[in-house]
Amino acid sequence: MLKSENDKRLELPDIMESLEKYYMVTRTDGEGLITYANRNFLETSNWTPKRILGKSFWQMFPNDEEGQEQSHAIWSRLSSGKSWFGTTKKTTRHGDPYFVKLVAVPFMDDSETLSSATFLELDVTDDVELREKLQEIAFIDFETGLMSRHRLETLVNEYIESKRHFSFVYITIDHYYTLKDHKTYDSERILIKEFTNRLKRYFQDSPIARVGVGQFALLTPFGDWYIQGFLAFLKEQPIYIEHTALPLSISGGIVRYPEDQQTYTQLITAALAATKEMTDSGGGRIASLSAESHKGLNRRALIDRKLLTALDRRNLQVVYQPQYDVASKSINLYEALVRWEDEELGYVMPDELIPIAEENGQIHAIGAYVIEEAAKLAAEWDKEKRDICVSINSSVREFSKPDMKNTILDILRDTNCPANRIRLEITEKFAFQAEVEQSIIRQMQSLQDAGVQFILDDFGTGYASFRYMQNLPISRVKIDQDFIQSLTTHPKTKQLVEGMIMFCKSMGLTVSAEGVETQEQFDMLIEMGVDAIQGYYIGTPVTQDQITFE
Ligand code: C2E
Ligand code: CA
Ligand code: CA
């Protein structure tokens, strides 16, 4: 329909008024920071008008892999000047999920860069939940007619009971959300339908389930070579969307019953892990979990069990890594790092231990132990009139307890440790959650008021390092070791680190670098003006007895 300019002008305010009335409307600037949110949005998301401003677009999405992947896909589409439409999961201020149908519209400036974006959303949570409930009852995925996740579980248990041998295969469409980016809502339906058809045609009599938006699982008596043949089959039978073959790549994992794993939960966990191994190495392959990874999974389960039953302070140990202070040319801080030794498992390093402890709740006991040991040591040094602080890593899970602040202050009092001798290192994951949970920020603030300083660890690895520095009580940042590794070999990294240092300093923050292993890195960082340096070049983590002073 053709319209005069006048008609368009007349209609626009009316349209906006109706949209505001029925839709949730938000707007962000070109950086993704929220500049406007209407009442409908605030009601659903539980944000208050003041607090929402300046929060980021990404914070409105669940803080998991899928949520982050999807929000980044939407944002990158907007950045290239294209609008986005689809159903997506969001999260309220308190972390409760809800579902919306979202239209995202970019506004570009004269130089074709994104200057702002408007988001119109309709809450469809009831529809999604109803659908899931019905699918649960009907045991079927409505969109594809495949089995639902619930039916799959029942069936696997039946197979196990009747002692049938089978391969459990998990298949995921690689980069689903980015792929979706190229398409319209309709083409997404075609993709899923056509993909389902190909699965059914290739795996004929095998039971197939849809377990996620772009994820499937199936049970088959056939071996690896047959299952892997599906990749070639997909190549021969490409999916066409608007007359072009879609560049589709998939990853998958195979786990055998009863050889590899013995229960439904174990099978799906192992199949997921196998699939992740494939996706992480670039995708486009289906393989069984390596023997090593099976061992890894079993080790994880063992650590989990042992932590719950046998966590004993005698098996925990704290080691300390020195940090060199550039101005005074001396060591003025030690970072406390936890170690766990078990008769059967040997030494368990924190990268393995902490995630499991966070999951099963033992992080509270471990954290309290580390703080206590660190505070005792810092108090001893304080008494000896040594000007040395101790820094401690803290997990956001610990601060989810509203009295974490008191736990820390009590320990400091009981050990006679002055608060200004202790620093807490937090990661971006921590910072992200702190921005959403007021109680965490409040606890951080009171600790800071008491004299405890906060360090933003692994600086530069997340999406919003710079924003956190503005919003949270942080006085120091520690540049991540990833940057330091390529500092002397990649000119781009050097520029980046230089920029980070300059910017942080202009914000009045103290900057340290970690993972420094060579003299060359050390010299370069000093030249760039960092305040402190940590890494094997300065010293490896040692036990308290091994620390000496000249
Ligand atoms: P992080 O805080 O980034 O700690 C630095 C890690 O890098 C330590 O590993 C350290 O031993 C290692 N490292 C130090 N200098 C160098 C170097 O020059 N080169 C290389 N390649 N590595 C270096 P670690 O002790 O295995 O700790 C791993 C992570 O576990 C830590 O990363 C920290 O996030 C977490 N963590 C450690 N102890 C605790 C704890 O008591 N509580 C909590 N919540 N997390 C902890
Ligand atoms: Ca650290
Ligand atoms: Ca770090």
Side-chain angles (χ1 to χ4, degrees), residues 86 161 163 201 218 262 265 287 379 419 531 547:
E161 222 157 87
K163 307 223 162 11
R201 260 161 51 207
L218 58 97
Q262 285 78 40
T265 315
D531 302 292
I547 300 175

Side-chain angles (χ1 to χ4, degrees), residues 335 337 393 425 457 478 514:
E335 176 177 1
L337 297 159
N393 294 283
E425 302 200 1
D457 202 352
K478 197 192 256 188
E514 73 178 331

Side-chain angles (χ1 to χ4, degrees), residues 335 393 425 427 456-459 478-481 514:
E335 176 177 1
N393 294 283
E425 302 200 1
T427 58
L456 186 55
D457 202 352
D458 304 341
F459 184 74
K478 197 192 256 188
I479 298 176
D480 190 64
Q481 51 191 64
E514 73 178 331

Side-chain angles (χ1 to χ4, degrees), residues 416-434:
N416 276 324
C417 176
N420 63 7
R421 290 287 178 211
I422 293 296
R423 296 193 182 143
L424 292 178
E425 302 200 1
I426 65 164
T427 58
E428 297 235 333
K429 189 172 147 210
F430 187 117
F432 183 93
Q433 202 55 34

Side-chain angles (χ1 to χ4, degrees), residues 109-307:
D109 63 16
D110 294 342
S111 61
E112 288 302 301
T113 40
L114 187 66
S115 62
S116 70
T118 298
F119 302 87
L120 303 172
E121 297 168 317
L122 269 186
D123 192 338
V124 293
T125 311
D126 288 348
D127 299 352
V128 173
E129 280 176 352
L130 180 69
R131 200 178 128 113
E132 278 178 359
K133 195 85 218 146
L134 286 173
Q135 290 186 162
E136 193 178 323
I137 299 167
F139 271 174
I140 196 173
D141 172 66
F142 290 151
E143 204 180 337
T144 58
L146 296 173
M147 297 188 307
S148 69
R149 185 186 266 274
H150 310 281
R151 174 70 190 130
L152 176 74
E153 180 170 355
T154 322
L155 192 68
V156 167
N157 287 332
E158 282 168 23
Y159 272 36
I160 292 176
E161 222 157 87
S162 58
K163 307 223 162 11
R164 276 172 81 157
H165 291 212
F166 62 93
S167 289
F168 183 103
V169 186
Y170 190 94
I171 289 177
T172 180
I173 299 178
D174 290 332
H175 312 297
Y176 183 77
Y177 288 106
T178 335
L179 195 68
K180 214 175 97 176
D181 221 35
H182 300 297
K183 305 179 279 100
T184 61
Y185 183 64
D186 224 24
S187 53
E188 190 185 344
R189 269 195 12 240
I190 300 174
L191 164 65
I192 293 296
K193 192 171 139 243
E194 289 297 315
F195 187 74
T196 304
N197 279 342
R198 280 157 184 72
L199 276 174
K200 279 189 192 158
R201 260 161 51 207
Y202 188 81
F203 290 102
Q204 303 262 337
D205 300 322
S206 301
I208 308 173
R210 185 176 185 202
V211 293
V213 184
Q215 285 91 29
F216 303 82
L218 58 97
L219 312 178
T220 168
F222 293 121
D224 287 9
W225 65 270
Y226 185 82
I227 299 164
Q228 285 155 347
F230 181 59
L231 291 170
F233 179 78
L234 259 189
K235 279 224 173 67
E236 286 159 17
Q237 316 269 334
I239 295 173
Y240 286 89
I241 297 215
E242 284 162 9
H243 310 297
T244 20
L246 201 68
L248 192 66
S249 147
I250 61 165
S251 298
I254 308 169
V255 184
R256 259 165 303 269
Y257 174 83
E259 295 88 339
D260 295 337
Q261 300 289 341
Q262 285 78 40
T263 66
Y264 170 76
T265 315
Q266 286 171 353
L267 283 163
I268 194 157
T269 311
L272 257 170
T275 308
K276 194 164 179 317
E277 270 185 11
M278 295 304 110
T279 349
D280 287 351
S281 62
R285 286 193 302 144
I286 304 177
S288 357
L289 198 61
S290 59
E292 201 177 306
S293 302
H294 269 298
K295 256 205 257 151
L297 274 183
N298 296 337
R299 182 174 157 91
R300 195 187 155 92
L302 189 62
I303 293 177
D304 185 32
R305 208 173 57 236
K306 288 229 158 180
L307 269 185

